[in-house]
Each structure stands twice: as C-alpha cells, then as structure tokens.
Amino acid sequence: MATLDRSRPLRRALVILSALGLLAVVAGCAPGRAAASQPRSAAASTSTLPVGRSTQPIRVGGQVRTLHTYRPAGLSGAVPLVVMLHGGYGSGVQAETSDHWDQQADKGHFIGAFPDGSTRSWNAGGGCCGQAGADHVDDVAFIRAVVKTLRREASIDPTRIYVAGMSNGAIMAYRLACQTHLFAAVASVAGTILADCGHAKRASLIQIHGTADHTVPYHGGPGQVYGRTGARIDGPSVPADNHTWRKIDGCRSPHKTRAGVVKTSVAHCPGHRAVKLISIVGAGHQWPGSAARPALKRRLHADPPSTAIDATSTIWRFFAAHPG
C-alpha cells in the first residue's frame, strides 16, 4: 500500500504564499498609485488644526501671543493660507467676522489666520503704532511663528501663503513684505509703507485706499490723530507706494480704468506677478464692504465702510490669481 504524503499540500501552500508575497513586494516598489498615495496619507496624519474656529497661544520672545484660526470643513490636499492683520484697536476675531473672512474662506477653500496684535496694535516700523511700537514688540518674529505653526498643523501650500491688513495691520503687512520672504502676495487696505524696503523680495501687491482718508492720507504726509494714544501716521502717498512696489517687482507701466467712484490701476510684472491699486473716490479710513461697527465709530470717529466694492472678496480673487 502506498504511503500518503501529508506534507505535500502544505509545501504547495507555502510556495503559493511566497509567490504572492513576492508579487506584493514588487507592486510596492513599482511607481504609481502606492507611491502617489503616500503624501496624501502623511499630510492627513499631520493635520491637527481643528475644523471651524479655534484659538491657541504662541510663545515668541518670552511673550505669549494669541492666534485665532478658521479652517473650513472638507479641505483636502495642500491649501492656501491667508494671514489677516487687524487695524489699531481691533482684534483677530473682529477682523475675521466683521470683514467676513470666515465666509470667504468657506468659498475659497483656504485657511484663515487672525492673530491678535500686542495691546491691539502692531509694531509696523517707522514709529508705528501704539503700544506695540513703543514697546518695540517683535511682530515680524510673531508672524513668522504663526506661519511656521500652521504649516506644522495643516497641509499648507508654501506657494500660496498671503498676508492682508487694515490700517496699522496694513502697515505691518508692508513690513512683512519688505523684511521676510514668506508671502506670495500682499494686500493693504488704508495703509502705507513705513518700514525699510531696501531688501524686499518680489511679491504681488494689491492696495485699496479711500481718497478721503484723513488718518492715513491718500496723498501722504501726517494724518489726523487716531484714537486715544495720539498715534499719527506720516508716510508716503499711496501712488508713491505703488510706484515703489512696481520698481521692486520690475513691472510695466500700469493700465488705468474707472467705474463710478472706483479707479483701478494694474501693472503686470515678471513672474506672473501684478501690482494693483484700487482708489475709492470720497471714501475714508475703513474696510470697504465690512459690517458697520457703531461702537468703534463712536469711540474712534471711524469712517463708515464704503459699499463701492467688497474688499475681502476682491483681495481673495487677487490672491488666488497670484501664487508664488
């Protein structure tokens, strides 16, 4: 009688399993889907920034500063980051909500960062502004830390990091554009250049300014005292700032148009950059299209927001069209 070899099926199974394992290894080494999916899973695993509104402390130079953020639901892949700097006496939350940056983030699929200035002000250079300027607060280091933190906590596209500001915040945005290489494009609403821009990196720029602004005068020179601190801005004219930045970017001559009270100048520059100025005839020191704030108007004699344009959506469209 022949002896039954019970080990033969086991050996056959081991051969089959070994072959399948080899195929799996070969497939894993092949270029294509497996390699392409790795960055997505890695990015997802490091996205720790909560969806919606959140607040966190950031320690810089021995100080604890405050950062508010808004992350829309459903973001995927590397997304843009917009850092919005509030005006004097404002706050990050105020800039987010009254200028409806949160709603714009939902529409534009970007993360919004809304840091708080030190004692509601920014050290924007040139003696500006408020207590932050008097105390020589290192706000450049703070905003660097904001960007670094958010790049660690979320998947941020490094070519689509932008900064916008209002008034004191706009002057700070100029300082960041002049003294860092963080931002692909910059937006100034009711601001002027006070910082040293001798070593500025090329970046796209959009300016929005009312011609009847008496706090940061459109035609330059000292403005009226703003608030209780006695802060007075004395800087170049808005057209002079525009000329300065066109020289930095190496732009062609601007093309100018007018629609009602809105005058627009656009210069195209190398590297698909642009320098754009929107002048609103008769508008004062305000963020066009923002929610009216009666309490602020009473306390600071603030001008009512212009309804000629919506500054937030206008800025975002400019940003989206000009990555770094």
Side-chain angles (χ1 to χ4, degrees), residues 224-302:
Q224 68 184 16
V225 173
Y226 189 72
R228 297 183 300 272
T229 64
R232 185 189 296 272
I233 306 302
D234 186 357
S237 70
V238 175
D241 288 337
N242 186 267
H243 178 74
T244 294
W245 213 264
R246 282 189 279 118
K247 284 185 64 177
I248 290 169
D249 278 357
C251 308
R252 296 191 292 270
S253 297
H255 174 67
K256 299 180 181 181
T257 59
R258 179 165 182 168
V261 298
V262 179
K263 299 165 66 176
T264 303
S265 167
V266 182
H268 297 287
C269 322
H272 304 289
R273 298 183 183 90
V275 174
K276 184 173 185 176
L277 168 60
I278 298 176
S279 307
I280 305 176
V281 178
H285 192 72
Q286 38 71 53
W287 183 279
S290 66
R293 291 179 285 158
L296 187 66
K297 182 177 180 180
R298 287 193 302 270
R299 189 167 74 248
L300 301 177
H301 306 291

Side-chain angles (χ1 to χ4, degrees), residues 171-227:
I171 301 170
M172 185 67 211
Y174 275 127
R175 181 177 188 182
L176 292 164
C178 292
Q179 299 179 0
T180 76
H181 295 171
L182 293 173
F183 302 104
V186 182
S188 165
V189 177
T192 188
I193 298 175
L194 296 180
D196 177 13
C197 278
H199 301 284
K201 178 197 173 189
R202 291 183 172 184
S204 293
L205 170 70
I206 180 170
Q207 302 163 279
I208 300 175
H209 215 109
T211 63
D213 188 333
H214 299 296
T215 303
V216 183
Y218 185 89
H219 296 290
Q224 68 184 16
V225 173
Y226 189 72

Side-chain angles (χ1 to χ4, degrees), residues 52-136:
R53 293 188 179 93
S54 60
T55 299
Q56 62 177 302
I58 294 184
R59 183 176 291 277
V60 180
Q63 280 191 317
V64 177
R65 307 291 297 272
T66 302
L67 170 64
H68 310 280
T69 53
Y70 182 79
R71 179 185 176 186
L75 294 184
S76 61
V79 299
L81 170 66
V82 174
V83 180
M84 171 62 201
L85 306 177
H86 63 76
Y89 299 98
S91 70
V93 170
Q94 165 264 312
E96 174 192 350
T97 55
S98 68
D99 301 340
H100 51 266
W101 275 105
D102 45 2
Q103 297 174 35
Q104 192 62 55
D106 285 331
K107 296 174 185 175
H109 307 290
F110 62 84
I111 291 172
F114 310 96
D116 283 343
S118 177
T119 61
R120 296 181 175 264
S121 60
W122 302 101
N123 178 15
C128 175
C129 291
Q131 196 62 44
D135 292 344
H136 305 289

